[in-house]
Amino acid sequence: MKKILFVCHGNICRSPMAEFIAKDLAKKAGLASEFEFSSKATTRDEIDSSGVGHPMDIRAQRKLTEKGIPFTSHLASQVEKSDYQKFDLIYCMDEENFLDLNRITAGDPQQKEFKLLSILGSNNDIDDPWYSGDFETSYQEIHRACEAILRKNK
């Protein structure tokens, strides 16, 4: 089973969207048993002082619902150094996430950390819709990348 982690700043918008989009695509392709998808944050910005993560942003939930992507309850959590060994591939949404992740995991000796759009041959970032409000563009970019991940790793 291929274990894939999606990472963004707070784990309430882009990375959980990627997790649920990838799960849905894998299920529809009959590949659900071949993949494990998860998502985490590079920061504690969406985790309260008692250690409880905030739920997925309501706008992300609305976008997934609009697109017919099922999702379950999700609470933000932060990447830990040990996650590097737990996952086969780690995809970050933007350059800042990539640099933060690299700092948390103390480098990438096995070369399994990537920006998500690199699977499509792009070095571009997926802009944070929490700031921009553009959940449609984020959804489209994430969806295309998740399709490519399944094609490349099945």
Side-chain angles (χ1 to χ4, degrees):
M1 175 178 288
K2 184 79 80 167
K3 294 180 181 182
I4 298 174
L5 179 65
F6 297 105
V7 176
C8 70
H9 181 85
N11 190 221
I12 61 167
C13 294
R14 295 170 292 173
S15 61
M17 285 175 60
E19 174 185 348
F20 293 116
I21 290 167
K23 285 177 177 177
D24 185 59
L25 289 170
K27 182 179 179 184
K28 288 176 178 172
L31 301 171
S33 64
E34 297 179 32
F35 291 94
E36 178 183 310
F37 298 104
S38 190
S39 64
K40 293 194 176 190
T42 57
T43 71
R44 295 188 57 81
D45 288 1
E46 295 297 332
I47 301 170
D48 68 25
S49 60
S50 66
V52 177
H54 296 164
M56 184 173 23
D57 186 288
I58 190 67
R59 298 166 296 173
Q61 293 180 43
R62 286 184 192 134
K63 184 55 64 179
L64 292 175
T65 299
E66 173 190 318
K67 301 296 186 177
I69 306 293
F71 58 91
T72 56
S73 177
H74 171 84
L75 298 177
S77 62
Q78 186 180 21
V79 172
E80 299 172 0
K81 186 175 182 177
S82 61
D83 287 323
Y84 188 81
Q85 294 308 318
K86 292 177 189 173
F87 291 93
D88 301 305
L89 294 167
I90 305 173
Y91 288 102
C92 301
M93 300 297 146
D94 62 37
E95 188 70 22
E96 181 180 354
N97 305 151
F98 184 79
L99 295 172
D100 288 343
L101 175 68
N102 206 258
R103 187 173 55 252
I104 292 167
T105 62
D108 185 16
Q110 297 175 32
Q111 297 181 341
K112 54 181 165 178
E113 297 175 4
F114 304 93
K115 284 176 56 177
L116 184 58
L117 292 179
S118 69
I119 192 98
L120 299 173
S122 171
N123 196 38
N124 290 341
D125 292 343
I126 294 177
D127 290 332
D128 192 339
W130 192 88
Y131 297 102
S132 70
D134 188 359
F135 282 80
E136 180 63 26
T137 298
S138 295
Y139 172 86
Q140 292 297 332
E141 291 174 340
I142 292 167
H143 194 277
R144 282 193 307 273
C146 288
E147 287 175 323
I149 288 169
L150 290 180
R151 277 193 308 272
K152 182 177 181 180
N153 291 286
K154 63 179 177 178

